[in-house]
CSV table of all heavy atoms in Angstrom, one decimal:
chain,number,residue,atom,x,y,z
A,106,GLU,N,-11.6,-19.0,2.7
A,106,GLU,CA,-11.8,-19.4,1.3
A,106,GLU,C,-13.3,-19.7,1.1
A,106,GLU,O,-13.8,-19.7,-0.1
A,106,GLU,CB,-11.0,-20.6,0.9
A,106,GLU,CG,-9.5,-20.3,0.9
A,106,GLU,CD,-9.1,-19.2,-0.1
A,106,GLU,OE1,-9.8,-19.1,-1.1
A,106,GLU,OE2,-8.1,-18.5,0.2
A,107,GLU,N,-14.1,-20.0,2.1
A,107,GLU,CA,-15.5,-20.4,1.9
A,107,GLU,C,-16.4,-19.1,2.1
A,107,GLU,O,-17.2,-18.9,1.2
A,107,GLU,CB,-15.9,-21.4,2.9
A,107,GLU,CG,-15.3,-22.8,2.7
A,107,GLU,CD,-15.8,-23.8,3.7
A,107,GLU,OE1,-16.6,-23.5,4.5
A,107,GLU,OE2,-15.3,-25.0,3.6
A,108,THR,N,-16.1,-18.3,3.1
A,108,THR,CA,-16.9,-17.1,3.3
A,108,THR,C,-16.4,-15.9,2.7
A,108,THR,O,-17.1,-14.9,2.5
A,108,THR,CB,-17.1,-16.9,4.8
A,108,THR,OG1,-15.8,-16.5,5.4
A,108,THR,CG2,-17.6,-18.1,5.6
A,109,HIS,N,-15.1,-15.9,2.3
A,109,HIS,CA,-14.4,-14.8,1.7
A,109,HIS,C,-14.3,-13.6,2.7
A,109,HIS,O,-14.0,-12.5,2.3
A,109,HIS,CB,-15.1,-14.3,0.4
A,109,HIS,CG,-15.1,-15.3,-0.6
A,109,HIS,ND1,-16.2,-15.4,-1.6
A,109,HIS,CD2,-14.3,-16.4,-0.9
A,109,HIS,CE1,-16.0,-16.4,-2.3
A,109,HIS,NE2,-14.9,-17.0,-2.0
A,110,LYS,N,-14.5,-13.9,4.0
A,110,LYS,CA,-14.4,-12.9,5.0
A,110,LYS,C,-13.0,-12.9,5.6
A,110,LYS,O,-12.3,-14.0,5.8
A,110,LYS,CB,-15.4,-13.2,6.1
A,110,LYS,CG,-16.8,-13.1,5.7
A,110,LYS,CD,-17.3,-11.8,5.2
A,110,LYS,CE,-18.8,-11.7,4.9
A,110,LYS,NZ,-19.2,-10.4,4.4
A,111,PRO,N,-12.4,-11.8,6.0
A,111,PRO,CA,-11.1,-11.7,6.6
A,111,PRO,C,-11.1,-12.3,8.1
A,111,PRO,O,-12.0,-12.0,8.8
A,111,PRO,CB,-10.7,-10.3,6.6
A,111,PRO,CG,-12.0,-9.5,6.6
A,111,PRO,CD,-13.0,-10.4,5.9
A,112,VAL,N,-10.0,-12.9,8.4
A,112,VAL,CA,-9.8,-13.4,9.8
A,112,VAL,C,-8.5,-12.8,10.3
A,112,VAL,O,-7.5,-12.9,9.7
A,112,VAL,CB,-9.7,-15.0,9.8
A,112,VAL,CG1,-9.4,-15.5,11.2
A,112,VAL,CG2,-10.9,-15.6,9.2
A,113,VAL,N,-8.6,-12.2,11.5
A,113,VAL,CA,-7.4,-11.5,12.1
A,113,VAL,C,-6.6,-12.5,13.0
A,113,VAL,O,-7.2,-13.2,13.8
A,113,VAL,CB,-7.8,-10.3,13.0
A,113,VAL,CG1,-6.6,-9.6,13.7
A,113,VAL,CG2,-8.7,-9.3,12.3
A,114,TYR,N,-5.3,-12.5,12.8
A,114,TYR,CA,-4.4,-13.4,13.6
A,114,TYR,C,-3.2,-12.7,14.2
A,114,TYR,O,-2.5,-13.3,15.0
A,114,TYR,CB,-4.0,-14.6,12.8
A,114,TYR,CG,-3.1,-14.3,11.6
A,114,TYR,CD1,-1.7,-14.3,11.8
A,114,TYR,CD2,-3.6,-14.1,10.3
A,114,TYR,CE1,-0.9,-14.0,10.7
A,114,TYR,CE2,-2.8,-13.8,9.3
A,114,TYR,CZ,-1.4,-13.8,9.4
A,114,TYR,OH,-0.6,-13.5,8.4
A,115,PHE,N,-2.9,-11.4,13.8
A,115,PHE,CA,-1.8,-10.8,14.3
A,115,PHE,C,-1.9,-9.3,14.2
A,115,PHE,O,-2.4,-8.8,13.1
A,115,PHE,CB,-0.5,-11.2,13.6
A,115,PHE,CG,0.8,-10.7,14.2
A,115,PHE,CD1,1.3,-11.2,15.3
A,115,PHE,CD2,1.5,-9.7,13.5
A,115,PHE,CE1,2.5,-10.7,15.9
A,115,PHE,CE2,2.6,-9.1,14.0
A,115,PHE,CZ,3.2,-9.7,15.2
A,116,CYS,N,-1.4,-8.5,15.2
A,116,CYS,CA,-1.4,-7.0,15.1
A,116,CYS,C,-0.3,-6.5,15.9
A,116,CYS,O,-0.3,-6.7,17.2
A,116,CYS,CB,-2.7,-6.4,15.5
A,116,CYS,SG,-2.8,-4.6,15.3
A,117,LYS,N,0.7,-5.9,15.3
A,117,LYS,CA,1.8,-5.3,16.1
A,117,LYS,C,2.1,-3.9,15.4
A,117,LYS,O,2.5,-3.9,14.2
A,117,LYS,CB,3.1,-6.2,16.0
A,117,LYS,CG,4.3,-5.6,16.8
A,117,LYS,CD,4.1,-5.7,18.3
A,117,LYS,CE,5.3,-5.3,19.0
A,117,LYS,NZ,5.2,-5.4,20.5
A,118,LEU,N,2.0,-2.8,16.1
A,118,LEU,CA,2.1,-1.5,15.5
A,118,LEU,C,3.1,-0.7,16.2
A,118,LEU,O,3.4,-0.9,17.4
A,118,LEU,CB,0.7,-0.8,15.6
A,118,LEU,CG,-0.4,-1.5,14.8
A,118,LEU,CD1,-1.8,-0.8,15.1
A,118,LEU,CD2,-0.2,-1.6,13.3
A,119,PRO,N,3.7,0.3,15.5
A,119,PRO,CA,4.7,1.2,16.2
A,119,PRO,C,4.1,2.0,17.3
A,119,PRO,O,2.9,2.3,17.3
A,119,PRO,CB,5.1,2.1,15.0
A,119,PRO,CG,4.8,1.4,13.8
A,119,PRO,CD,3.5,0.6,14.1
A,120,LYS,N,5.0,2.4,18.2
A,120,LYS,CA,4.6,3.3,19.3
A,120,LYS,C,4.1,4.6,18.7
A,120,LYS,O,4.5,5.1,17.7
A,120,LYS,CB,5.8,3.6,20.2
A,120,LYS,CG,5.5,4.4,21.4
A,120,LYS,CD,6.8,4.6,22.3
A,120,LYS,CE,6.5,5.4,23.5
A,120,LYS,NZ,7.7,5.6,24.3
A,121,ASN,N,3.1,5.2,19.4
A,121,ASN,CA,2.5,6.4,19.0
A,121,ASN,C,1.9,6.4,17.6
A,121,ASN,O,2.0,7.4,16.8
A,121,ASN,CB,3.5,7.6,19.1
A,121,ASN,CG,3.9,7.8,20.6
A,121,ASN,OD1,3.2,7.6,21.5
A,121,ASN,ND2,5.2,8.2,20.7
A,122,ILE,N,1.4,5.2,17.2
A,122,ILE,CA,0.8,5.1,15.8
A,122,ILE,C,-0.2,6.1,15.5
A,122,ILE,O,-0.4,6.6,14.4
A,122,ILE,CB,0.3,3.7,15.7
A,122,ILE,CG1,-0.2,3.4,14.2
A,122,ILE,CG2,-0.9,3.4,16.6
A,122,ILE,CD1,1.0,3.2,13.3
A,123,GLN,N,-1.0,6.6,16.5
A,123,GLN,CA,-2.0,7.5,16.3
A,123,GLN,C,-1.5,8.9,15.9
A,123,GLN,O,-2.3,9.7,15.4
A,123,GLN,CB,-2.9,7.7,17.6
A,123,GLN,CG,-2.2,8.4,18.8
A,123,GLN,CD,-1.3,7.5,19.6
A,123,GLN,OE1,-1.1,6.3,19.2
A,123,GLN,NE2,-0.8,8.0,20.7
A,124,LYS,N,-0.2,9.2,16.1
A,124,LYS,CA,0.3,10.5,15.7
A,124,LYS,C,1.0,10.4,14.4
A,124,LYS,O,1.6,11.4,13.9
A,124,LYS,CB,1.4,10.9,16.8
A,124,LYS,CG,0.8,11.1,18.2
A,124,LYS,CD,1.9,11.5,19.1
A,124,LYS,CE,1.3,11.8,20.5
A,124,LYS,NZ,2.4,12.2,21.5
A,125,ARG,N,0.9,9.3,13.7
A,125,ARG,CA,1.6,9.2,12.4
A,125,ARG,C,0.7,9.1,11.2
A,125,ARG,O,-0.5,8.7,11.4
A,125,ARG,CB,2.4,7.9,12.5
A,125,ARG,CG,3.5,7.8,13.6
A,125,ARG,CD,4.2,6.5,13.6
A,125,ARG,NE,5.1,6.4,14.7
A,125,ARG,CZ,6.4,6.9,14.7
A,125,ARG,NH1,6.9,7.4,13.5
A,125,ARG,NH2,7.2,6.8,15.7
A,126,LEU,N,1.2,9.5,10.1
A,126,LEU,CA,0.6,9.2,8.8
A,126,LEU,C,0.8,7.7,8.6
A,126,LEU,O,1.9,7.2,8.6
A,126,LEU,CB,1.1,10.0,7.7
A,126,LEU,CG,0.8,9.5,6.3
A,126,LEU,CD1,-0.7,9.5,6.0
A,126,LEU,CD2,1.6,10.3,5.2
A,127,VAL,N,-0.3,7.0,8.4
A,127,VAL,CA,-0.2,5.5,8.2
A,127,VAL,C,-0.5,5.2,6.7
A,127,VAL,O,-1.5,5.5,6.2
A,127,VAL,CB,-1.2,4.8,9.1
A,127,VAL,CG1,-1.1,3.3,8.9
A,127,VAL,CG2,-1.0,5.1,10.6
A,128,ILE,N,0.5,4.5,6.1
A,128,ILE,CA,0.3,4.0,4.8
A,128,ILE,C,0.0,2.5,4.9
A,128,ILE,O,0.9,1.7,5.3
A,128,ILE,CB,1.5,4.3,3.9
A,128,ILE,CG1,1.8,5.8,3.8
A,128,ILE,CG2,1.2,3.7,2.5
A,128,ILE,CD1,3.0,6.1,3.0
A,129,LEU,N,-1.2,2.1,4.7
A,129,LEU,CA,-1.6,0.7,4.8
A,129,LEU,C,-1.5,0.1,3.4
A,129,LEU,O,-2.0,0.6,2.4
A,129,LEU,CB,-3.1,0.6,5.2
A,129,LEU,CG,-3.7,-0.7,5.4
A,129,LEU,CD1,-3.1,-1.4,6.6
A,129,LEU,CD2,-5.2,-0.6,5.6
Side-chain angles (χ1 to χ4, degrees):
E106 295 298 329
E107 293 183 359
T108 66
H109 301 148
K110 300 293 185 181
V112 179
V113 180
Y114 64 89
F115 185 75
C116 182
K117 182 72 172 180
L118 300 173
K120 184 179 180 181
N121 299 325
I122 186 74
Q123 72 277 6
K124 297 180 180 179
R125 301 177 183 274
L126 164 62
V127 178
I128 301 176
L129 183 67

